[in-house]
Amino acid sequence: MNGLAILIPVALLMGLAGLVAFFWALKRGQFEDLDGAAARILIDEEDDLPGGGKP
């Protein structure tokens, strides 16, 4: 029974922390352009390679 007295408040605090982190990310615009992030990995930009992408 003593374990539950510790685990329940800890679980509630962790859930609250996750909810706060979600709303913080939502406010900072982390979920604005989901399609762009998914397509960005498919774009092959040779300018990012060392030496300009030339072998």
Side-chain angles (χ1 to χ4, degrees), residues 10-46:
V10 168
L12 290 174
L13 286 174
M14 289 177 66
L16 182 63
L19 192 62
V20 167
F22 171 73
F23 283 120
W24 175 78
L26 191 64
K27 184 178 179 181
R28 297 207 17 118
Q30 294 294 316
F31 304 112
E32 291 295 321
D33 186 21
L34 297 177
D35 293 331
R40 199 172 306 127
I41 196 167
L42 300 174
I43 298 171
D44 185 26
E45 294 184 10
E46 294 181 0

